Amino acid sequence: MEPLMQEFIKSTKDIQTFWENRFAQVMEEMVKSQNFVNAMTKSLEGSLDLRRLVDSSMGRWAEFYQVVTKKDLALIQQQMFDQGVRMEKMVTLLETIRDHVVTGTPRPAEPEAPKAARKTAGRGK
Amino acid sequence: MSEDLWQHLQQFTESAYRNVELGAILAERNARSLLAGDEPACQEDPYQGTTPFEVIYRFDRMRVLKFQGDPDERGLTPLLMIPSLINRSYVLDLMEGGSLVAHLTHNRHPTYLLDWGTPGPQHDHLSFGFYVDDLMSLATAAVRRDAGTDRLALLGYCMGGTMCLLHAALHPAAIDRITLLAAPVNFHDEGVLSKWAATPKFDVDRVVDTLHHMDSLMLQTSFLFLKPLSAWQKYKSLYEGAGNPKFTGSFVKLERWLNDNVSVPGELYREYVRICYQENRLVEGGLVLAGKPVDLKEITCPILNVIASKDHIVPIESSRIVSTLVGGPVREELIDAGHIGIAMGSKARLMFETVLRFHGEEASPPPAN
């Protein structure tokens, strides 16, 4: 009785695995199809349009009441980040020059420095 | 028969209990990440890898980590790992003692990792070229300064591999050798991602102009759709392997990483999709990044190209083409694994040794000019 049951369980598992793999293949082909891509982009466009509508309404409301929005803060943060990048590049360049002076061996100046700073480095040599 | 039945019932109850326990852990993690509000701008992400490290450089949210191990006295070229921008950087250091980082550190190879951090709205305006040229240059300069060398080696996983190639083309003199792990190069392939992103119907401008970034949830959902039945198969394997604590431990770690995605800055996403997926500039040529022309023929250093034969995200041909595009020698290693299996797990161990040997070789001569 027991081997019979085990055989039955094994064959059921095999059938299940076969159909699972088959179904997975069909699904993978489906997501590659142009119809699926079209449907997906269409639904994405719809939700993006809705989001844009909400954003523009909120923007108008904020403008009317002179409220500072997250977008305004993000723009300020972006400008601060850009300034930080410029400063960091100058610091990196200065460190490279310092290493060059200390060790007395030429080293490539990377990342590329602003033109004015590079001229100074050239004079130092 | 009745005893067997009783034993089966006990086993079933036991495995069901373990599954419920695991489910609770995963649900708690997901609930915590959902309930957690916007993190403050100054908060630093904890690195969730397993190897001890020290931070040798930080700029904004980007950090360069140096892994601690016995000091190297062989004068090896330091290796900087570049992970993808859409996932967390600890993928190469996920499993304790069984990761690439652990293997390299254990063998006293000077190893560094670029941790991109979590981008916020202040990074939405940054281009792909800025990341490849400026940010990577800051990180490589920090590694060279720390190691006291003029050149360094790069290792890039997935999108990080593509970035390594582009950075090396812009700064060939600074790079000694490169390892690419499942790195996409030809984006007009037979993969599903290529079919989705390269279609003219996918309006990347509309996405970025509306959302200002590519949301991590959208990215994760689209990756789930690549193999729609994979989630079912994954949880089925968890049910079957619930009695194996090693398997469940790895499962939870991998799930944590898979569900720990980051959003991609808008301008970066726009430029990446356009130049890679839509225009396929790495293969077609005429690529300009941050105002500088990029020619992959400028790369004359040796390259180790590790390809996953069962990769559904980066098909073999997408990566293999690199040997025809660069100016230096390319060694190829085919691993019988998928996109994630190439970076961790039992099948990746072969890759660990190959990478260690490749980076332990004598330094390549610098480019002529």
Short mmCIF file of all heavy atoms in Angstrom, two decimals, chain B residues 175-206:
data_model
loop_
_atom_site.label_atom_id
_atom_site.label_comp_id
_atom_site.label_asym_id
_atom_site.label_seq_id
_atom_site.Cartn_x
_atom_site.Cartn_y
_atom_site.Cartn_z
N ILE B 175 43.32 53.03 -14.81
CA ILE B 175 42.74 51.70 -14.57
C ILE B 175 43.71 50.60 -15.01
O ILE B 175 44.18 50.58 -16.15
CB ILE B 175 41.39 51.55 -15.34
CG1 ILE B 175 40.47 52.74 -15.05
CG2 ILE B 175 40.70 50.23 -14.98
CD1 ILE B 175 40.11 52.97 -13.60
N ASP B 176 43.97 49.68 -14.10
CA ASP B 176 44.92 48.60 -14.37
C ASP B 176 44.24 47.40 -15.01
O ASP B 176 44.77 46.78 -15.93
CB ASP B 176 45.57 48.17 -13.05
CG ASP B 176 46.49 46.99 -13.24
OD1 ASP B 176 47.44 47.13 -14.03
OD2 ASP B 176 46.26 45.95 -12.62
N ARG B 177 43.08 47.02 -14.53
CA ARG B 177 42.32 45.90 -15.10
C ARG B 177 40.87 45.99 -14.64
O ARG B 177 40.56 46.66 -13.65
CB ARG B 177 42.93 44.55 -14.74
CG ARG B 177 43.11 44.28 -13.26
CD ARG B 177 43.93 43.04 -13.03
NE ARG B 177 45.24 43.14 -13.62
CZ ARG B 177 45.75 42.21 -14.43
NH1 ARG B 177 45.08 41.13 -14.70
NH2 ARG B 177 46.97 42.35 -14.92
N ILE B 178 39.99 45.29 -15.36
CA ILE B 178 38.56 45.38 -15.06
C ILE B 178 37.95 43.98 -15.02
O ILE B 178 38.27 43.14 -15.87
CB ILE B 178 37.81 46.19 -16.15
CG1 ILE B 178 38.44 47.58 -16.35
CG2 ILE B 178 36.33 46.35 -15.81
CD1 ILE B 178 37.92 48.31 -17.58
N THR B 179 37.07 43.76 -14.06
CA THR B 179 36.25 42.54 -14.07
C THR B 179 34.80 42.95 -14.24
O THR B 179 34.31 43.83 -13.53
CB THR B 179 36.43 41.75 -12.77
OG1 THR B 179 37.75 41.24 -12.72
CG2 THR B 179 35.46 40.57 -12.71
N LEU B 180 34.14 42.32 -15.19
CA LEU B 180 32.71 42.58 -15.41
C LEU B 180 31.92 41.36 -14.96
O LEU B 180 32.22 40.24 -15.37
CB LEU B 180 32.45 42.83 -16.89
CG LEU B 180 33.28 43.92 -17.58
CD1 LEU B 180 32.99 43.91 -19.08
CD2 LEU B 180 32.95 45.27 -17.00
N LEU B 181 30.95 41.59 -14.09
CA LEU B 181 30.08 40.48 -13.64
C LEU B 181 28.68 40.73 -14.20
O LEU B 181 28.03 41.70 -13.81
CB LEU B 181 29.97 40.46 -12.11
CG LEU B 181 31.14 40.01 -11.25
CD1 LEU B 181 30.70 39.95 -9.81
CD2 LEU B 181 31.63 38.65 -11.68
N ALA B 182 28.26 39.88 -15.10
CA ALA B 182 26.92 40.00 -15.70
C ALA B 182 26.62 41.44 -16.11
O ALA B 182 25.60 42.01 -15.73
CB ALA B 182 25.86 39.50 -14.72
N ALA B 183 27.54 42.03 -16.86
CA ALA B 183 27.40 43.43 -17.24
C ALA B 183 26.76 43.56 -18.62
O ALA B 183 27.27 42.98 -19.58
CB ALA B 183 28.76 44.10 -17.24
N PRO B 184 25.67 44.31 -18.74
CA PRO B 184 25.06 44.49 -20.07
C PRO B 184 25.87 45.48 -20.90
O PRO B 184 26.28 46.53 -20.41
CB PRO B 184 23.67 45.05 -19.74
CG PRO B 184 23.82 45.72 -18.42
CD PRO B 184 24.92 45.00 -17.69
N VAL B 185 26.13 45.13 -22.15
CA VAL B 185 26.87 46.03 -23.05
C VAL B 185 26.07 46.27 -24.33
O VAL B 185 25.88 47.39 -24.75
CB VAL B 185 28.26 45.43 -23.39
CG1 VAL B 185 29.02 46.35 -24.34
CG2 VAL B 185 29.09 45.24 -22.12
N ASN B 186 25.55 45.16 -24.90
CA ASN B 186 24.66 45.31 -26.05
C ASN B 186 23.23 45.29 -25.51
O ASN B 186 22.76 44.27 -25.00
CB ASN B 186 24.88 44.16 -27.04
CG ASN B 186 23.98 44.28 -28.24
OD1 ASN B 186 23.31 45.30 -28.43
ND2 ASN B 186 23.95 43.24 -29.06
N PHE B 187 22.55 46.42 -25.64
CA PHE B 187 21.22 46.52 -25.04
C PHE B 187 20.11 46.16 -26.02
O PHE B 187 18.95 46.14 -25.65
CB PHE B 187 21.01 47.93 -24.49
CG PHE B 187 21.84 48.19 -23.26
CD1 PHE B 187 23.17 48.55 -23.34
CD2 PHE B 187 21.29 48.05 -22.00
CE1 PHE B 187 23.94 48.78 -22.20
CE2 PHE B 187 22.04 48.28 -20.85
CZ PHE B 187 23.36 48.64 -20.95
N HIS B 188 20.46 45.91 -27.28
CA HIS B 188 19.44 45.46 -28.23
C HIS B 188 19.56 43.94 -28.35
O HIS B 188 20.04 43.42 -29.35
CB HIS B 188 19.61 46.17 -29.57
CG HIS B 188 19.12 47.58 -29.52
ND1 HIS B 188 19.09 48.40 -30.62
CD2 HIS B 188 18.62 48.31 -28.51
CE1 HIS B 188 18.60 49.58 -30.27
NE2 HIS B 188 18.32 49.55 -28.99
N ASP B 189 19.14 43.26 -27.29
CA ASP B 189 19.26 41.81 -27.26
C ASP B 189 17.87 41.18 -27.21
O ASP B 189 16.87 41.85 -27.42
CB ASP B 189 20.10 41.39 -26.04
CG ASP B 189 19.57 42.02 -24.76
OD1 ASP B 189 18.34 41.97 -24.55
OD2 ASP B 189 20.36 42.57 -23.98
N GLU B 190 17.85 39.91 -26.90
CA GLU B 190 16.58 39.20 -26.86
C GLU B 190 15.94 39.21 -25.45
O GLU B 190 14.96 38.55 -25.21
CB GLU B 190 16.78 37.74 -27.32
CG GLU B 190 16.99 37.61 -28.81
CD GLU B 190 15.88 38.24 -29.63
OE1 GLU B 190 14.71 37.86 -29.46
OE2 GLU B 190 16.20 39.14 -30.43
N GLY B 191 16.54 39.94 -24.55
CA GLY B 191 16.03 39.99 -23.17
C GLY B 191 14.73 40.77 -23.06
O GLY B 191 14.43 41.62 -23.91
N VAL B 192 13.99 40.48 -22.01
CA VAL B 192 12.69 41.13 -21.82
C VAL B 192 12.88 42.63 -21.54
O VAL B 192 12.13 43.46 -22.06
CB VAL B 192 11.92 40.46 -20.65
CG1 VAL B 192 10.52 41.03 -20.54
CG2 VAL B 192 11.86 38.96 -20.82
N LEU B 193 13.87 42.95 -20.71
CA LEU B 193 14.10 44.37 -20.37
C LEU B 193 14.33 45.19 -21.63
O LEU B 193 13.83 46.30 -21.75
CB LEU B 193 15.33 44.50 -19.46
CG LEU B 193 15.10 44.37 -17.96
CD1 LEU B 193 16.40 44.61 -17.23
CD2 LEU B 193 14.04 45.33 -17.45
N SER B 194 15.13 44.62 -22.55
CA SER B 194 15.42 45.31 -23.80
C SER B 194 14.13 45.52 -24.60
O SER B 194 13.89 46.58 -25.16
CB SER B 194 16.41 44.49 -24.60
OG SER B 194 16.60 45.04 -25.85
N LYS B 195 13.30 44.48 -24.62
CA LYS B 195 12.04 44.56 -25.38
C LYS B 195 11.13 45.65 -24.79
O LYS B 195 10.39 46.31 -25.50
CB LYS B 195 11.32 43.21 -25.35
CG LYS B 195 11.99 42.17 -26.21
CD LYS B 195 10.98 41.23 -26.83
CE LYS B 195 11.63 40.13 -27.62
NZ LYS B 195 12.52 40.56 -28.69
N TRP B 196 11.14 45.79 -23.48
CA TRP B 196 10.28 46.79 -22.84
C TRP B 196 10.82 48.20 -23.02
O TRP B 196 10.09 49.10 -23.39
CB TRP B 196 10.18 46.51 -21.34
CG TRP B 196 9.39 45.31 -20.97
CD1 TRP B 196 8.67 44.50 -21.81
CD2 TRP B 196 9.21 44.78 -19.65
NE1 TRP B 196 8.09 43.49 -21.10
CE2 TRP B 196 8.40 43.64 -19.79
CE3 TRP B 196 9.66 45.14 -18.40
CZ2 TRP B 196 8.02 42.86 -18.69
CZ3 TRP B 196 9.29 44.38 -17.30
CH2 TRP B 196 8.47 43.26 -17.45
N ALA B 197 12.12 48.37 -22.71
CA ALA B 197 12.66 49.73 -22.66
C ALA B 197 12.98 50.29 -24.04
O ALA B 197 12.97 51.50 -24.24
CB ALA B 197 13.91 49.76 -21.78
N ALA B 198 13.29 49.40 -25.00
CA ALA B 198 13.68 49.88 -26.33
C ALA B 198 12.47 50.21 -27.20
O ALA B 198 12.64 50.84 -28.24
CB ALA B 198 14.55 48.84 -27.02
N THR B 199 11.29 49.80 -26.79
CA THR B 199 10.12 50.07 -27.62
C THR B 199 9.84 51.59 -27.66
O THR B 199 9.93 52.26 -26.64
CB THR B 199 8.88 49.30 -27.10
OG1 THR B 199 7.77 49.65 -27.89
CG2 THR B 199 8.57 49.61 -25.65
N PRO B 200 9.53 52.12 -28.86
CA PRO B 200 9.26 53.56 -28.95
C PRO B 200 8.05 53.98 -28.11
O PRO B 200 7.90 55.15 -27.77
CB PRO B 200 8.98 53.78 -30.44
CG PRO B 200 9.29 52.51 -31.13
CD PRO B 200 9.41 51.43 -30.14
N LYS B 201 7.21 53.01 -27.76
CA LYS B 201 6.01 53.34 -26.97
C LYS B 201 6.37 53.71 -25.52
O LYS B 201 5.57 54.32 -24.83
CB LYS B 201 5.05 52.15 -26.97
CG LYS B 201 4.29 52.02 -28.28
CD LYS B 201 3.17 51.04 -28.12
CE LYS B 201 2.37 50.91 -29.39
NZ LYS B 201 1.58 52.09 -29.70
N PHE B 202 7.55 53.30 -25.09
CA PHE B 202 7.95 53.63 -23.72
C PHE B 202 8.55 55.04 -23.72
O PHE B 202 9.65 55.27 -24.21
CB PHE B 202 8.97 52.62 -23.19
CG PHE B 202 9.48 52.95 -21.82
CD1 PHE B 202 8.61 53.05 -20.75
CD2 PHE B 202 10.83 53.17 -21.58
CE1 PHE B 202 9.07 53.38 -19.48
CE2 PHE B 202 11.30 53.49 -20.33
CZ PHE B 202 10.41 53.60 -19.27
N ASP B 203 7.78 55.98 -23.20
CA ASP B 203 8.17 57.39 -23.23
C ASP B 203 8.89 57.73 -21.92
O ASP B 203 8.26 58.10 -20.92
CB ASP B 203 6.91 58.25 -23.41
CG ASP B 203 7.24 59.69 -23.69
OD1 ASP B 203 8.42 60.04 -23.61
OD2 ASP B 203 6.31 60.47 -23.99
N VAL B 204 10.21 57.63 -21.96
CA VAL B 204 10.99 57.85 -20.73
C VAL B 204 10.90 59.31 -20.27
O VAL B 204 10.90 59.59 -19.06
CB VAL B 204 12.46 57.39 -20.92
CG1 VAL B 204 13.19 58.22 -21.93
CG2 VAL B 204 13.22 57.39 -19.61
N ASP B 205 10.76 60.22 -21.23
CA ASP B 205 10.64 61.65 -20.86
C ASP B 205 9.38 61.88 -20.02
O ASP B 205 9.41 62.63 -19.04
CB ASP B 205 10.57 62.51 -22.12
CG ASP B 205 11.89 62.51 -22.85
OD1 ASP B 205 12.92 62.37 -22.18
OD2 ASP B 205 11.90 62.63 -24.09
N ARG B 206 8.31 61.24 -20.42
CA ARG B 206 7.05 61.41 -19.70
C ARG B 206 7.17 60.90 -18.26
O ARG B 206 6.64 61.51 -17.34
CB ARG B 206 5.97 60.61 -20.45
CG ARG B 206 4.57 61.09 -20.19
CD ARG B 206 3.69 60.42 -21.21
NE ARG B 206 2.30 60.74 -21.02
CZ ARG B 206 1.37 60.42 -21.91
NH1 ARG B 206 1.74 59.80 -23.01
NH2 ARG B 206 0.12 60.71 -21.70
#
